[in-house]
Amino acid sequence: MDLGIKGKRALVCASSKGLGLGCARALAEAGVNLVMNARGAEALEASAQAIRDEFGVDVQTVAVDVTTAEGQAAVLAAAGDVDILVNNAGGPPPGMWSDWDRDDFIAALDANMLTPIAFMKALLPGMMERGWGRVVNITSVSVKAPVPVLGLSNSARAGLTGYVAGTSRQVAGSGVTINNLQPGLHATDRAVSLDAGVSKAQGISMEEAKAQRAATIPVGRYGTIDEFGATCAFMCSQNAGFMVGQNVLLDGGATNTTM
Ligand code: NAP
């Protein structure tokens, strides 16, 4: 399918690996030039070069922590007038409700709510002035159905979702759409570290922990970063111009709800 976005420019935050990389690759396949980001420069440059080689698009890299003010300034300076923004950052650590104090919540809010809001605040005015833009925030299934050990994520991402619900309606008339993409379990490093948590807590092997978690998904497996990226690219396409303020759940059917 022609997504109608060839030649556009996208900032994809936290994209050297995992879901962000899946989004960067799918946008590149659609002919979109990229600004990619992660903290680790080596993996970031390797992923960027693989994308240049495979898809022939222009890729700039900015190796900084997006959750810091300095990191955001560096990314925004490189991004300039991007047409597409994919917000992403690492997720907060798991734990018990009684573990977390104010500093833990501030860190989670910074990473998974205030950072995407800062990027939207900086980049939406240009998109609105030019009459076209797409924002996709990578959030989590935990907004729809809480993951009890991820209380920090449940909280911060719910806050971002509330912000997007209202803001998306305020900017839609300028040709700019904002939507959230909610991953369920996907085969990434993050999933491996959560498998390790289950393995440790239950005294079972990593294979058993993974099989146990995969068995909760009607599809019977974890999602892939290619499937996730393709959905993100569609949400950034010309065809998705009527999709506003939505929370698109990609979880292989794991969340047992009618709507
Ligand atoms: P991942 O495989 O661990 O990849 C994370 C990517 O983000 C890496 O490229 C990492 O590179 C980069 N990154 C992390 N923190 C960053 C920061 N502060 N600044 C810049 N780059 C940063 O994670 P993932 O599975 O793709 O998950 C992405 C997001 O989706 C996370 O917020 C996660 O909680 C959420 N999520 C994932 C799943 C899942 O099953 N995978 C499910 C629900 C929600 P560096 O480490 O080099 O910075």
Side-chain angles (χ1 to χ4, degrees):
M1 191 197 296
D2 178 8
L3 297 182
I5 49 178
K6 190 173 175 14
K8 297 223 181 263
R9 203 150 166 274
L11 165 60
V12 187
C13 297
S15 55
S16 67
K17 298 177 191 168
L19 303 177
L21 176 60
C23 296
R25 288 180 51 79
L27 288 168
E29 190 173 10
V32 175
N33 298 310
L34 300 173
V35 177
M36 292 174 66
N37 150 263
R39 291 164 303 183
E42 203 177 319
L44 177 62
E45 189 44 45
S47 295
Q49 192 55 46
I51 288 177
R52 290 182 197 109
D53 293 345
E54 189 171 347
F55 303 112
V57 295
D58 179 59
V59 185
Q60 277 175 267
T61 57
V62 190
V64 292
D65 183 339
V66 270
T67 67
T68 64
E70 310 78 60
Q72 288 161 17
V75 168
L76 286 170
D81 290 336
V82 288
D83 310 290
I84 295 168
L85 164 65
V86 180
N87 272 316
N88 187 31
M96 277 296 285
W97 61 271
S98 48
D99 293 343
W100 304 308
D101 58 23
R102 180 182 160 77
D103 288 345
D104 298 309
F105 278 100
I106 296 297
L109 291 170
D110 266 340
N112 300 117
M113 178 182 171
L114 299 176
T115 294
I117 289 175
F119 279 114
M120 282 187 266
K121 214 174 155 203
L123 295 172
L124 284 172
M127 293 180 189
M128 292 167 76
E129 214 173 284
R130 295 187 297 279
W132 197 93
R134 297 283 183 267
V135 179
V136 173
N137 299 298
I138 299 180
T139 63
S140 174
V141 62
S142 73
V143 176
K144 193 162 185 89
V147 181
V149 294
L150 293 179
L152 293 171
S153 171
N154 299 339
S155 308
R157 297 185 200 277
L160 174 63
T161 303
Y163 175 86
V164 165
T167 305
S168 60
R169 269 91 185 172
Q170 291 179 313
V171 304
S174 304
V176 179
T177 69
I178 314 176
N179 294 285
N180 303 319
L181 187 45
Q182 300 176 301
L185 288 174
H186 282 73
T188 69
D189 289 356
R190 167 84 171 167
V192 172
S193 85
L194 294 175
D195 289 347
V198 171
S199 156
K200 193 173 161 206
Q202 298 187 19
I204 56 178
S205 71
M206 283 291 284
E207 290 68 33
E208 285 168 324
K210 184 174 177 190
Q212 192 187 93
R213 297 212 305 147
T216 64
I217 306 171
V219 168
R221 60 169 176 83
Y222 289 5
T224 70
I225 68 166
D226 290 344
E227 289 167 325
F228 191 85
T231 307
C232 175
F234 172 77
M235 291 166 74
C236 296
S237 73
Q238 294 293 355
N239 309 318
F242 209 52
M243 181 190 284
V244 170
Q246 296 304 298
N247 293 283
V248 177
L249 180 61
L250 272 192
D251 72 344
T255 308
N256 195 28
T257 56
T258 302
M259 295 207 308

